[in-house]
Amino acid sequence: MSSSICTGSALGLLVRQVRDAMRARWQHELVTVGHDLTFSQFLTIKKLADGVANATELARIAELSPGAMTRLLDRLEARGLIVRSADPGDRRALNIRLTDAGKQIARDIAQCGERVRDVALAGLDDAQRAQFISLLEQVRDNLSIPES
């Protein structure tokens, strides 16, 4: 089925513009509440709020190289937001978790995320919001490459 509504490149550009606008709004929200965090630091703290993680997982989520993630973790540790400890199951690996200060920032940035979501979905009623999320999930799933 062919559609003249939106070409593939126009769809990709629109998705990229939405992503970039979301990141810019998150950055604005973080600055507004007084948190000097990059978007990658935001993603890292958000993931660590769910529990312990390792650097490989965090680098994948933040789309950083392992070296860049190590430097990011060094900065967060220097600020007292995370601690790294040896993984009891793998002496080569480190577990990373939030400190109490990191947990407080995680709560603050969760509220920032809610405000960004509300701005992004302004003008949509609950049914439209649910349909929009469902459609985005379907597009994501359509584009996912099955693991072999």
Side-chain angles (χ1 to χ4, degrees), residues 43-93:
L43 290 175
T44 300
I45 290 170
K46 190 172 180 310
K47 172 64 178 169
L48 289 171
D50 295 334
V52 174
N54 64 47
T56 303
E57 291 174 83
L58 295 172
R60 182 184 51 75
I61 289 165
E63 298 179 352
L64 295 175
S65 69
M69 178 51 67
T70 297
R71 291 186 294 279
L72 182 149
L73 293 172
D74 289 344
R75 288 190 290 281
L76 292 178
E77 190 170 42
R79 291 176 61 183
L81 302 178
I82 66 160
V83 292
R84 293 180 263 199
S85 58
D87 183 330
D90 182 352
R91 63 186 179 105
R92 298 167 296 160

Side-chain angles (χ1 to χ4, degrees), residues 11-136:
L11 175 61
L13 178 60
L14 180 59
V15 169
R16 174 78 184 246
Q17 290 169 334
V18 170
R19 184 192 78 169
D20 292 349
M22 292 284 292
R23 284 184 174 189
R25 181 59 70 147
W26 271 317
Q27 191 66 45
H28 173 76
E29 282 290 328
L30 292 170
V31 169
T32 299
V33 297
H35 293 305
D36 181 26
L37 296 171
T38 65
F39 187 72
S40 295
Q41 289 170 333
F42 163 82
L43 290 175
T44 300
I45 290 170
K46 190 172 180 310
K47 172 64 178 169
L48 289 171
D50 295 334
V52 174
N54 64 47
T56 303
E57 291 174 83
L58 295 172
R60 182 184 51 75
I61 289 165
E63 298 179 352
L64 295 175
S65 69
M69 178 51 67
T70 297
R71 291 186 294 279
L72 182 149
L73 293 172
D74 289 344
R75 288 190 290 281
L76 292 178
E77 190 170 42
R79 291 176 61 183
L81 302 178
I82 66 160
V83 292
R84 293 180 263 199
S85 58
D87 183 330
D90 182 352
R91 63 186 179 105
R92 298 167 296 160
L94 294 174
N95 288 328
I96 303 153
R97 65 177 175 78
L98 293 174
T99 62
D100 288 340
K103 290 175 185 173
Q104 179 58 52
I105 286 181
R107 285 188 289 275
D108 290 352
I109 65 176
Q111 292 172 355
C112 288
E114 290 173 15
R115 286 192 296 274
V116 170
R117 179 209 54 219
D118 290 345
V119 168
L121 300 177
L124 302 177
D125 63 31
D126 288 345
Q128 290 170 318
R129 288 177 181 214
Q131 182 181 26
F132 177 68
I133 297 304
S134 176
L135 292 169
L136 283 177

